[in-house]
């Protein structure tokens, strides 16, 4: 099971019926898990998705992120009508991984992981994180 499998599965479980976790907290935990995983493997992932990484590698990692995000997004009951899960996953995958790739290329102490998580959460669509919208994904 890879990084994106773990993140997807955790997000689905946290958003499941009966979970006391809010959508905002589910997003925070999933994003924190992703950033922590990559931070622990900073050197390897900087070579895979960093600014100097071959385009084919970045594309493969982005595709994996998108593929694993589609299932979680598809199951979200708060997803607005007309919000295509594949399109949303591509948008998030491209944006999140672009920001993370820049972060990985910078010195470790220039941007703390928790600050990165907070900045990324602010970029997410509000329907993913709005605590007023309980999500009971099935």
């Amino acid at each position: 099971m890879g990084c994106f499998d773990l993140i997807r599965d955790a997000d689905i479980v946290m958003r499941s019926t009966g979970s006391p976790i809010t959508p905002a907290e589910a997003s925070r935990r999933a994003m924190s898990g992703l950033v922590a995983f990559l931070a622990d493997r900073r050197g390897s992932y900087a070579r895979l998705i960093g600014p100097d990484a071959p385009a084919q590698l970045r594309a493969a990692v982005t595709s994996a992120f998108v593929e694993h995000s589609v299932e979680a997004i598809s199951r979200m009951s708060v997803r607005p009508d007309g919000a295509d899960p594949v399109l949303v996953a591509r948008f998030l995958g491209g944006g999140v991984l672009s920001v993370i790739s820049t972060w990985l290329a910078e010195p470790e102490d220039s941007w703390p992981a928790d600050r990165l998580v907070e900045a990324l959460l602010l970029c997410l669509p509000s329907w993913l994180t709005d605590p007023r919208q309980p999500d009971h994904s099935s």
Side-chain angles (χ1 to χ4, degrees):
M1 182 176 279
C3 167
F4 301 131
D5 294 320
L6 294 170
I7 303 305
R8 177 204 57 213
D9 294 349
D11 194 64
I12 289 171
V13 168
M14 287 185 284
R15 293 176 187 269
S16 64
T17 301
S19 173
I21 297 171
T22 65
E25 186 59 24
S27 294
R28 178 178 310 287
R29 289 184 185 186
M31 194 65 70
S32 294
L34 174 63
V35 169
F37 180 90
L38 296 175
D40 288 345
R41 296 152 184 86
R42 189 179 197 99
S44 298
Y45 276 90
R47 289 187 296 278
L48 287 173
I49 63 172
D52 297 328
Q56 293 155 310
L57 285 177
R58 281 197 318 263
V61 173
T62 300
S63 290
F65 183 96
V66 169
E67 179 183 319
H68 290 87
S69 297
V70 168
E71 182 181 354
I73 293 166
S74 295
R75 298 175 82 169
M76 292 179 185
S77 62
V78 297
R79 182 172 37 89
D81 291 338
D84 180 82
V86 174
L87 183 65
V88 172
R90 286 181 184 151
F91 175 79
L92 294 175
V96 167
L97 291 178
S98 176
V99 170
I100 287 175
S101 77
T102 302
W103 174 71
L104 289 171
E106 295 176 354
E108 283 188 52
D109 60 352
S110 65
W111 192 269
D114 58 337
R115 187 171 158 212
L116 175 66
V117 169
E118 293 304 316
L120 287 168
L121 290 171
L122 291 171
C123 296
L124 295 177
S126 62
W127 55 267
L128 282 176
T129 61
D130 188 347
R132 296 170 294 175
Q133 296 189 34
D135 187 2
H136 300 291
S137 302
S138 44

